[in-house]
Amino acid sequence: MFTPTLTLAIAWIACAAGSIVALALAILPAARRLPAPLLGWMLAIAPATAFVALAAQLPRLFAGEVLTWRVEWLPALGVSFGLYLDGLSALFGLIVTGIGGLVLIYAGYYFAPTHHHTPVHASIANPQSPNPESQIQNPKSNDARFFVYTLLFMTSMLGVVLAGDAITLFVFWEGTSVTSFLLIAYKTKDEEARKGAFKALFITGGGGIALLAGLLIVSAISGGADWATIFRSGAALRDSPWYPVMLGLIAFGAFTKSAQAPFHFWLPTAMSAPTPASAYLHSATMVKAGVYILARMHPALGNTDLWFWLLVITGAATMVMGAIIGLRQVDLKAVLAYSTISQLGVLVMLIGEEATAAFKALVIGVLAHALYKGALFMIVGVVDHATGTRDLRRLGRIWRAMPLTFAVCSVAALSMAGLPPLFGFLAKEALLAAEIEAVLPAIMRVILPAATVLTGAFILAQAGTLALDTFVTPAGAGFFKTVVDLPLTGEGRDDPEDVETIDRSKPAHAHIEQTLAAHDPPLAMLIGPAVLAALSVIITVFQPQMFTDLLAGAASAAYGAKVKVSLDLFHGINLPLILSAIAIVFGVGVFVLRSPIRSVNGLPALSMNRVYERALSAIDRLAALATRTQGGRIRVYLSVILVALFGMIALLGNLSQLFAGLPLARLGEHFVKDLLDPMALLRAFSLLLAVAAAFVSVMMRRDLLAIIALGASGLAVAVLIALEPSPDVALVQVVVDLLSTVILILALSHLPGAQLSRAEALNHTDRAAAARNALLAFIGGAIVTVMCLYAFASRPRESVVTPYYEQNAKPLTGAADIVGAIVVDFRGFDTLIEITVFSMAGIGVFTLLRKALTRREAQRALPNGESPARQGLDAFRASPFTHALTYAALPLAFVLASVQMIHGHDEPGDGFTAGVTLSLAVGFWYVIFGYEVAKQRLRALRPGLLIGLGLLTVIAGSIAPAFLGGTFFSPFDFGAALGLPLPAGFYLSTSFLFELAICLAVLGAALFIIDTLGHPEGELE
Amino acid sequence: MEILRAFAIGALFGIGLYQLLRRNVIRVAIGLVILSNAVNLFLLSVGAYDGIVEAYAKAVGQRSDALPQALILTAIVISMGGFSFMLALLYVIAVRYRTGDSDEVRGLSH
């Protein structure tokens, strides 16, 4: 029915769909009442579907096919979303979906609130137990989010192992880090859990970035990101000078993810995740992602000395360390975490060894570990549930109460111990066989088997501890001190890598009571561990052909050539078997002597946790140092920006050439010629006036005088514009300059007087600062002068655009005023946006001062009962003559504005000028009559309404022509079209409407500004 | 005349920068206006035609360049909008920090 490649996509889509369903169930109120076990069973459908979809493809894979599927993602960058299925992906994919399904079912019962009953003593003794049950006992806690995280993780993890190219792999890789973070910090109120989650994200996230960099280098050298291309260019990659860099980066990513020493320390603290998540993420799947990427890249990057030594040494060190530290742990999950680290070391070491036997051992090791460790984690969850503790010193003799659990645990532990006839035995045999391969350097053929025997012995002792100390021996049997004497802190636990998840404040006898009350969980909860444990037996005893083929396919894909895998346990008496026997004997010895071994306090003092914490605090200190450079002084920032800019100009611009090439001579000629022009003297005078007035604004001690000087400078600029000659712009400049001055004075009147005089005094006190600023200003001015000189000398003397406007203004728009035609017709849309911006500025001023500033804050501005500089504008006393003028100003302004609008397209003046003229008259009222009176008499002028009317008019006026035979914004004479009897020279056209709209909007915005800035102090709403 | 104009614009720009660098916020606002005047003057001066008459269709003779005029017409109005908004901000700052001295506005360092 489905093509094989489509089925591949379906496998991933099933998991993605599952996570969406889980999310929906977690959000929908109705679904939140679903019992957790039902939720688990329902959601297990997703991985089950994916499992079947993958398993269905196995025959094709065994025949040597590789399935790929891809869709374009960012075609411009050559990035696509690709899936890829070969033997290696299939092995990991089946583990991810298979164990995923079992974990979901198990988790349903783990989170079910019903089956656990707490003994009275324990709950009285410690009502605020930090044990996992505190989650479970609270029926209100919504554990649906566990399923959401887990399914999201599953989707990401399946994406990692099925990814068809480096980019897709990286995206999903990060997905696993994030979901892992969420699961580790699942108990959000537990600070240790949050810290552990951050630690895990910090380490694996850093590795992820390195991995991305490494993969990008690989892709760049290969010329493609998909696996086939990368495998083809293996020789080029290994010969590249970048080889150590890319291998280092990818190995760093893999080592952090797979908890290799010295980056292993995030994994034990990650055990704060709910046990189902630990079983799934931190044992069976996610931590193997690093192993997967190394195995995946082996055909391309492997077979070099660097590869061998890097992986073998790291892996072997991790293997031994994990095994030894693990035996010292007292928390069951910590024991499992360290034995996981040890096994991950084994796998990395095997990839490094690169013999066919090594890859055979690798795939067997991956599967065997996933089976027994998954089962053991789930068993620990069951024990934790039944007894309320995971402390080995407090557990014991519960096998009678929990016979089924004990049986499952025993099988899994035997596999972990590497005893025949279990799968784990085969894994160890294969491992030892790989280590005595002739291709290895001679010294490694001694060191590695010795290390492995040592590791095997300790892992066996750990397995014995897990099964026997938990279920059979009396509580505290493996420890020197009896449980009642246990100190509350310490006892050889000064190494912070030990997991502190055990509640030490709880009296020991409470646990013993609980231990007595223990019982087997519901059978369904044992399905997961039982299936996994059973597989550990079935695979070696019955040796199903399917598993042999699956493992052979995976090993071949990782090795890059055919690898044969046999599941036979017995190959005759050979060296591996003898070594294995030694390990078992030695291991039994370690188990028997576990108490004295545990009390030896000879661990190295260097703890990676301390290194990590120091590194973090160093980063914090560095950040504090960096923020110290932020003085918060705005003018310092501006100075730095200016100095940097000047420096850049000095460095990049060729200064000597720049000054030598100054077109002074040419401009000088012009200057002499211009002197004969009678207007030139006026121009020169205006320029001088503009500069001089601006300079006066610097020198004036009082702010008010400075503002008036500024106004004078602006008026001089207006004269220059008028001399251009450019009457329209000059008019606008005049009215805007006046209005700006008025607004500035209004604002000045609002600043408290004492502060102002203080600020004014500052202007002239700091001479050093003034000199510095003057220097900066001088350099800036000089740069602009040089720029102007060049610009003026080389400006084009023929315009391309202007003649078009000149010729078409009258015919196309009917306007004799070319500037006006450009503003309201040729660039009408621009102007529409412009008046919108201006209106927004007005509304913004209003909002800031009326809404953002509360009355309380306004009053706080006057600390010592100081009064503002002037009480609004009410205090101003005007003569009757001024009053009369003011009364006259408004109607006059109306007439002026109307004339400007009507004739704007033929004569000087336009909507802007009209609007600002009106605003000036209104501003005059505010100044002369005071806020209250002006507000009262001009209440018909509502700013918001004016702005709205203005913008609507222009929009309606520009849309209307589109329906009347023209286009959007095309000129149209409505008066002529309707046959209205209008006076000569007045056209009811789109231009007129536009001018009217501009006038309204500008008036509205200016009114907002005047109204809010003219508001008397202390009466803010 | 261009040579004089270039020096005037440079001087206006320098004065504007100096005002921007001062501690008194009112002077900073003044500096902003001076800067925009300098820039408008520059735009006006780079027009292609040295006009004798204004840019009207009916005018006879060398018209001034209409294009830069239209541009600075827009620029003048917009900069007034921006200027008003900046004043409002300064006002809010003065109230919040109880000062007209930009050095005492140091929210970044806290």
Side-chain angles (χ1 to χ4, degrees):
Chain A
M1 184 165 64
F2 300 115
T3 60
T5 52
L6 193 61
T7 322
L8 172 61
I10 285 170
W12 180 77
I13 290 167
C15 284
S19 41
I20 293 169
V21 170
L23 191 64
L25 289 177
I27 293 169
L28 293 177
R32 290 169 81 155
R33 285 195 294 274
L34 286 179
L38 180 65
L39 212 57
W41 281 101
M42 269 168 53
L43 292 172
I45 295 172
T49 312
F51 186 85
V52 171
L54 289 176
Q57 301 310 314
L58 286 181
R60 283 172 195 281
L61 298 180
F62 297 159
E65 249 185 272
V66 169
L67 302 178
T68 55
W69 180 83
R70 68 177 44 240
V71 285
E72 290 299 317
W73 182 4
L74 300 172
L77 293 176
V79 175
S80 55
F81 175 75
L83 296 180
Y84 179 96
L85 185 69
D86 63 357
L88 188 66
S89 307
L91 174 66
F92 279 92
L94 289 173
I95 291 176
V96 168
T97 52
I99 295 187
L102 295 174
V103 161
L104 285 177
I105 295 168
Y106 169 84
Y109 295 93
Y110 182 85
F111 286 109
T114 47
H115 90 275
H116 177 76
H117 45 92
T118 317
V120 183
H121 306 282
S123 49
I124 291 172
N126 190 1
Q128 285 161 344
S129 154
N131 277 341
E133 287 75 26
S134 56
Q135 289 274 341
I136 300 153
Q137 283 163 2
N138 178 8
K140 280 182 186 167
S141 77
N142 178 14
D143 286 308
R145 73 191 167 99
F146 172 83
F147 293 100
V148 180
Y149 298 160
T150 306
L151 275 155
L152 279 174
F153 165 76
M154 191 184 294
T155 312
S156 309
M157 190 64 212
L158 196 59
V160 167
V161 298
L162 293 185
D165 56 75
I167 306 296
T168 311
L169 179 129
F170 172 74
V171 171
F172 288 124
W173 180 283
E174 293 296 275
T176 62
S177 294
V178 171
T179 44
S180 161
F181 169 82
L182 291 171
L183 282 163
I184 297 169
Y186 189 77
K187 278 173 263 170
T188 46
K189 287 181 181 158
D190 181 359
E191 196 192 345
E192 288 303 314
R194 292 200 305 270
K195 275 188 185 165
F198 177 75
K199 193 195 286 179
L201 189 67
F202 187 76
I203 309 274
T204 58
I209 293 167
L211 178 76
L212 175 66
L215 288 174
L216 287 179
I217 297 174
V218 167
S219 310
I221 294 175
S222 314
D226 60 300
W227 299 139
T229 310
I230 290 174
F231 293 157
R232 264 201 309 277
S233 20
L237 289 170
R238 286 189 292 270
D239 294 340
S240 156
W242 286 92
Y243 176 74
V245 178
M246 61 178 123
L247 177 59
L249 289 169
I250 291 176
F252 180 67
F255 290 171
T256 51
K257 195 81 165 177
S258 282
Q260 296 298 297
F263 311 114
H264 63 279
F265 57 96
W266 67 267
L267 189 57
T269 37
M271 290 298 134
S272 60
T275 306
S278 308
Y280 189 36
L281 273 72
H282 305 121
S283 144
T285 55
M286 187 188 87
V287 289
K288 296 215 178 75
V291 173
Y292 172 79
I293 185 70
L294 289 174
R296 174 56 74 206
M297 299 311 287
H298 171 256
L301 298 179
N303 289 318
T304 63
D305 281 353
L306 183 62
W307 176 278
F308 175 85
W309 290 107
L310 184 64
L311 268 61
V312 168
I313 290 176
T314 311
T318 309
M319 168 179 86
V320 175
M321 180 210 70
I324 293 176
I325 299 182
L327 190 65
R328 302 170 51 84
Q329 303 302 312
V330 292
D331 181 354
L332 283 174
K333 280 179 83 172
V335 176
L336 291 176
Y338 278 102
S339 68
T340 302
I341 291 174
S342 175
Q343 178 65 18
L344 291 168
V346 168
L347 298 176
V348 168
M349 178 181 78
L350 283 169
I351 298 174
E353 283 174 19
E354 299 191 299
T356 50
F359 282 93
K360 179 187 162 192
L362 170 74
V363 292
I364 292 175
V366 166
L367 186 56
H369 179 255
L371 294 177
Y372 73 71
K373 196 55 70 63
L376 283 172
F377 261 110
M378 291 196 236
I379 292 292
V380 166
V382 169
V383 169
D384 191 3
H385 248 206
T387 65
T389 184
R390 299 196 306 258
D391 191 332
L392 271 170
R393 294 165 300 186
R394 296 185 162 103
L395 286 163
R397 288 196 171 151
I398 51 173
W399 70 276
R400 277 181 206 280
M402 309 175 71
L404 283 175
T405 314
F406 176 54
V408 175
C409 179
S410 305
V411 176
L414 285 174
S415 184
M416 174 174 166
L419 293 173
L422 287 126
F423 199 23
F425 171 72
L426 186 64
K428 197 165 56 178
E429 289 289 285
L431 168 62
L432 288 164
E435 286 170 345
I436 51 171
E437 282 278 315
V439 293
L440 296 184
I443 184 162
M444 295 315 268
R445 269 181 278 164
V446 179
I447 292 177
L448 292 182
T452 306
V453 167
L454 180 73
T455 304
F458 271 84
I459 293 289
L460 185 140
Q462 286 183 25
T465 290
L466 287 172
L468 299 178
D469 281 348
T470 309
F471 286 95
V472 181
T473 58
F479 298 85
F480 270 158
K481 292 180 180 162
T482 64
V483 67
V484 187
D485 300 334
L486 271 179
L488 293 183
T489 52
E491 203 221 12
R493 289 176 51 99
D494 48 359
D495 185 351
E497 282 174 33
D498 289 349
V499 186
E500 285 285 357
T501 48
I502 295 161
D503 173 28
R504 298 170 159 281
S505 59
K506 205 184 268 190
H509 59 83
H511 287 289
I512 295 167
E513 298 275 342
Q514 268 174 288
T515 307
L516 294 176
H519 62 105
D520 267 333
L523 274 183
M525 196 169 176
L526 284 176
I527 289 179
V531 167
L532 296 180
L535 276 175
S536 303
V537 184
I538 291 168
I539 290 177
T540 40
V541 174
F542 298 100
Q543 304 185 4
Q545 186 59 37
M546 184 177 275
F547 280 94
T548 319
D549 290 343
L550 177 65
L551 292 173
S556 309
Y559 183 57
K562 200 85 187 149
V563 177
K564 275 189 185 166
V565 172
S566 139
L567 294 174
D568 287 331
L569 284 174
F570 189 65
H571 300 273
I573 307 288
N574 53 14
L575 190 53
L577 187 66
I578 296 166
L579 288 171
S580 202
I582 295 172
I584 290 168
V585 173
F586 185 31
V588 170
V590 171
F591 177 70
V592 170
L593 298 173
R594 63 193 184 281
S595 304
I597 289 177
R598 277 179 182 139
S599 58
V600 172
N601 219 344
L603 277 178
L606 177 78
S607 153
M608 280 311 291
N609 260 314
R610 268 175 222 149
V611 174
Y612 165 81
E613 273 154 22
R614 295 223 177 106
L616 274 197
S617 66
I619 291 173
D620 279 349
R621 279 201 299 277
L622 211 65
L625 208 66
T627 38
R628 211 173 296 161
T629 63
Q630 305 293 313
R633 291 184 183 181
I634 293 157
R635 63 196 175 100
V636 176
Y637 291 122
L638 186 59
S639 306
V640 169
I641 292 170
L642 285 176
V643 168
L645 179 69
F646 298 158
M648 226 152 70
I649 291 173
L651 277 178
L652 302 178
N654 194 338
L655 285 189
S656 57
Q657 202 184 341
L658 198 66
F659 283 112
L662 269 183
L664 287 175
R666 234 173 88 207
L667 290 172
E669 270 173 47
H670 277 272
F671 180 63
V672 175
K673 224 187 306 170
D674 278 342
L675 280 180
L676 302 174
D677 181 358
M679 299 299 270
L681 281 177
L682 194 51
R683 279 197 181 126
F685 175 72
S686 307
L687 282 172
L688 202 66
L689 187 63
V691 174
F695 189 71
V696 168
S697 83
V698 174
M699 298 315 290
M700 280 299 156
R701 272 179 184 263
R702 291 190 54 200
D703 284 330
L704 184 66
L705 296 180
I707 292 169
I708 291 168
L710 171 73
S713 170
L715 286 178
V717 172
V719 173
L720 278 171
I721 297 173
L723 288 174
E724 185 62 19
S726 171
D728 301 78
V729 186
L731 266 179
V732 174
Q733 171 71 21
V734 169
V735 287
V736 163
D737 183 66
L738 290 178
L739 192 59
S740 297
T741 312
V742 169
I743 292 173
L744 201 47
I745 293 173
L746 282 177
L748 184 69
S749 71
H750 275 263
L751 294 170
Q755 293 179 7
L756 267 186
S757 44
R758 207 162 56 232
E760 277 181 350
L762 293 171
N763 287 338
H764 298 275
T765 44
D766 192 351
R767 292 202 173 272
R772 261 199 320 272
N773 292 348
L775 182 66
L776 284 177
F778 178 79
I779 298 175
I783 289 171
V784 170
T785 307
V786 170
M787 206 176 83
C788 286
L789 287 172
Y790 272 101
F792 294 162
S794 55
R795 68 187 157 130
R797 307 310 303 217
E798 276 300 321
S799 171
V800 186
V801 194
T802 310
Y804 170 83
Y805 288 143
E806 289 183 340
Q807 281 154 25
N808 290 305
K810 191 72 188 169
L812 286 184
T813 70
D817 179 354
I818 298 162
V819 176
I822 295 175
V823 170
V824 294
D825 279 300
F826 291 116
R827 304 182 55 81
F829 202 55
D830 223 15
T831 308
L832 166 62
I833 294 169
E834 181 215 347
I835 59 169
T836 313
V837 170
F838 191 77
S839 309
M840 289 308 134
I843 295 172
V845 172
F846 177 75
T847 321
L848 259 179
L849 296 190
R850 283 292 174 82
K851 307 287 177 197
L853 205 61
T854 63
R855 185 186 180 132
R856 191 174 50 81
E857 277 180 306
Q859 282 167 347
R860 241 184 47 192
L862 315 169
N864 311 321
E866 286 173 12
S867 65
R870 281 159 289 277
Q871 272 292 339
L873 297 165
D874 294 328
F876 190 88
R877 285 196 190 167
S879 67
F881 177 68
T882 326
H883 275 217
L885 269 184
T886 315
Y887 277 120
L890 198 56
L892 273 176
F894 267 109
V895 172
L896 199 59
S898 309
V899 170
Q900 279 168 341
M901 280 187 287
I902 292 169
H903 294 291
H905 52 306
D906 288 329
E907 303 287 341
D910 51 28
F912 293 121
T913 325
V916 184
T917 310
L918 276 174
S919 316
L920 265 178
V922 174
F924 215 34
W925 275 53
Y926 273 82
V927 172
I928 305 299
F929 295 130
Y931 179 83
E932 291 302 332
V933 179
K935 181 85 179 163
Q936 172 73 21
R937 293 190 187 162
L938 298 175
R939 61 183 175 278
L941 290 176
R942 290 164 58 192
L945 187 70
L946 289 171
I947 291 178
L949 270 181
L951 293 181
L952 281 179
T953 306
V954 61
I955 291 169
S958 40
I959 291 177
F963 294 101
L964 297 170
T967 54
F968 183 55
F969 260 112
S970 65
F972 193 83
D973 192 341
F974 298 105
L978 296 170
L980 294 178
L982 294 171
F986 177 60
Y987 304 99
L988 186 58
S989 59
T990 43
S991 320
F992 173 71
L993 286 180
F994 210 149
E995 302 279 18
L996 180 66
I998 294 171
C999 172
L1000 290 176
V1002 168
L1003 176 61
L1007 280 183
F1008 259 143
I1009 295 164
I1010 293 170
D1011 186 43
T1012 37
L1013 285 172
H1015 201 292
E1017 193 70 45
E1019 288 178 31
L1020 290 171
E1021 288 145 29
Chain B
M1 196 49 54
E2 285 112 328
I3 195 162
L4 205 58
R5 224 172 241 234
F7 280 102
I9 291 170
L12 280 179
F13 203 87
I15 292 169
L17 272 187
Y18 182 80
Q19 296 278 49
L20 270 189
L21 286 167
R22 293 172 83 167
R23 292 170 67 173
N24 181 344
V25 289
I26 288 280
R27 302 300 169 115
V28 174
I30 290 175
L32 194 75
V33 178
I34 295 176
L35 277 183
S36 67
N37 277 343
V39 172
N40 285 340
L41 211 54
F42 172 75
L43 282 177
L44 190 74
S45 310
V46 289
Y49 306 106
D50 295 327
I52 306 295
V53 295
E54 58 273 31
Y56 288 157
K58 61 189 177 200
V60 183
Q62 177 60 60
R63 299 187 195 110
S64 58
D65 197 342
L67 186 62
Q69 295 176 25
L71 291 182
I72 66 168
L73 189 87
T74 309
I76 290 170
V77 178
I78 285 276
S79 48
M80 192 185 92
F83 172 68
S84 323
F85 191 72
M86 184 191 152
L87 273 182
L89 280 178
L90 288 182
Y91 179 50
V92 173
I93 287 170
V95 169
R96 288 252 160 101
Y97 288 85
R98 305 184 188 188
T99 184
D101 176 5
S102 78
D103 274 13
E104 289 176 25
V105 183
R106 300 177 69 168
L108 269 178
S109 62
H110 299 306

